[in-house]
Amino acid sequence: MLAEGWQIKNLDAVAQIQLGATVNSNQMLQDPIALPYMRVANVQDGWLDLQEIEEISIERAHLERFRLRYGDVLLALGGDADKVGRAEIWRAQIASCVHQNHVLAIRTQRQHLLPEYLNALIGSSYGKTYFRRCANQSTNLASLNSSLVREFPLLLPPIGEQKKIMQMLADFDHAIDCVERAMSNSQMQKQGWMQQIFSEQHCFSNAAADWRSAQLGDLVALADSALGTQVAEDFSFRYIEISDVRGGFIGDELAQYSKANAPARARRMVQAGDVLLAMVRPNLKRYARALAVHDGCVATSGFAVLRPKAEISTDFLYYSLYSDMMQLQFKISEKGSNYPQLNLEDVKNLELRYPNRAEQESICNVLGLLERRIGLEQRSLQTLRQQRAEMFERVLQRVSGL
């Protein structure tokens, strides 16, 4: 039984559900405008991943139909079966941003429903249970439709009660904000160091760093071992898809296949110490180092798997992919306007500037230190977000009467 003053209402009784723009590279537009947009990959569980922002072209006259406003609650309609219904509040981090049709923008009537309360409720066990139960399931993926979101049975306390509940979470919100700002500063520091290093404005060694140039094909071996007849049909491996690489790391949850049921694009054998470079949309910076745990994995042919020779280290090669010089070469070499990509010959012909091994080691020590600090800050954020969610659960149970 609900506490006094609490109600259960369909979400659309106190909020507007805004549909997003359809991504269609073949559509003919009369007066197009290209804008940044939020897609499913950007909407995480209680936070937004803004590392990779893509653009979409829409009719200029439709801008207001799809534009995001400060305070909108973004909700992902699709994704992994255990992650469907992820949500977070939009705080106008990017100007003139829109959203795709697989992400809803929920605009609350603030005199009845705080977006902060709605976002917390969607992320609670109550919200997650509803969306996972209602989602259409297919293999490991799930999807919602806007009707199910409109019918979400909202646990709605009086607006004053909502404010009290959110005030109880204020200390967590402040701590999360502090760690986010610290992590942003660390990332800016790392970017600043990389700019100095790869423009050769800073030398860590007492002796000359002795920078030189070579084509990448002369400095690395390109792994291209297909699962040929010499590989048994029951050979089992973990598969690295493009979407498994984010933020410089290979994800933990890799799909398992045998050769008999492997995707046709499973072609690149991976060893510890390799560097993976996604050739599809290389500007999205899906690069990663293969660790010991990835030895024996197989990567999609969408990756160039770079195996450094004696002249360069794995870490230096990895960091160099982010340099301005390399990013410019990606832009010049990629082919295709709607789906730009490199091929293996393009990768071989990339020019790499590199110093002696001692200087490489010094460079990687500095960047690695900053990277570890960012990792600690990321883990702190994860812990704080989890603790905040648990606090909301306890408060909701205590005050709602459920």
Side-chain angles (χ1 to χ4, degrees), residues 273-277 287-290 304-308 314 317-318 321:
D274 289 346
V275 175
L276 276 63
L277 160 63
Y287 325 133
R289 290 159 289 192
V305 177
L306 313 177
R307 199 157 290 156
T314 293
L317 174 59
Y318 166 74
L321 298 179

Side-chain angles (χ1 to χ4, degrees), residues 128-317:
K128 289 179 177 179
T129 299
Y130 171 81
F131 289 119
R132 289 173 187 172
R133 189 190 311 132
C134 294
N136 294 317
Q137 304 278 343
S138 61
T139 316
N140 293 324
L141 298 177
S143 63
L144 297 165
N145 60 54
S146 59
S147 296
L148 293 170
V149 177
R150 288 188 173 92
E151 295 168 2
F152 175 51
L154 192 63
L155 292 176
L156 187 65
I159 195 70
E161 191 73 26
Q162 293 179 46
K163 291 178 180 178
K164 288 179 184 177
I165 292 172
M166 300 318 299
Q167 187 59 39
M168 294 178 189
L169 303 178
D171 288 344
F172 282 109
D173 292 334
H174 176 69
I176 288 169
D177 181 61
C178 289
V179 176
E180 284 178 337
R181 281 189 277 112
M183 190 169 72
S184 177
N185 288 335
S186 298
Q187 289 169 334
M188 288 174 63
Q189 273 189 301
K190 181 184 172 187
Q191 189 60 39
W193 271 111
M194 288 185 68
Q195 190 167 359
Q196 286 192 52
I197 288 166
F198 288 103
S199 60
E200 302 172 36
Q201 295 176 10
H202 192 97
C203 179
F204 294 95
S205 308
N206 292 327
D210 190 24
W211 286 76
R212 66 200 78 175
S213 296
Q215 287 188 319
L216 195 56
D218 294 328
L219 298 172
V220 304
L222 290 173
D224 193 24
S225 304
L227 300 177
T229 54
Q230 76 281 8
V231 178
E233 289 297 309
D234 61 353
F235 170 69
S236 180
F237 61 89
R238 291 185 301 150
Y239 179 53
I240 306 174
E241 183 54 274
I242 296 286
S243 58
D244 291 319
V245 171
R246 295 184 67 80
F249 296 96
I250 300 170
D252 295 327
E253 300 177 2
L254 300 178
Q256 187 87 24
Y257 290 99
S258 66
K259 179 188 172 183
N261 67 351
R265 289 170 60 84
R267 297 187 60 85
R268 316 271 196 239
M269 300 293 292
V270 175
Q271 296 179 9
D274 289 346
V275 175
L276 276 63
L277 160 63
M279 296 186 289
V280 178
R281 294 182 177 175
N283 64 301
L284 293 183
K285 301 179 181 178
R286 293 185 184 270
Y287 325 133
R289 290 159 289 192
L291 307 178
V293 70
H294 304 122
D295 203 42
C297 287
V298 177
T300 172
S301 56
F303 284 113
V305 177
L306 313 177
R307 199 157 290 156
K309 298 179 181 177
E311 293 87 347
I312 56 172
S313 71
T314 293
D315 288 341
F316 181 83
L317 174 59

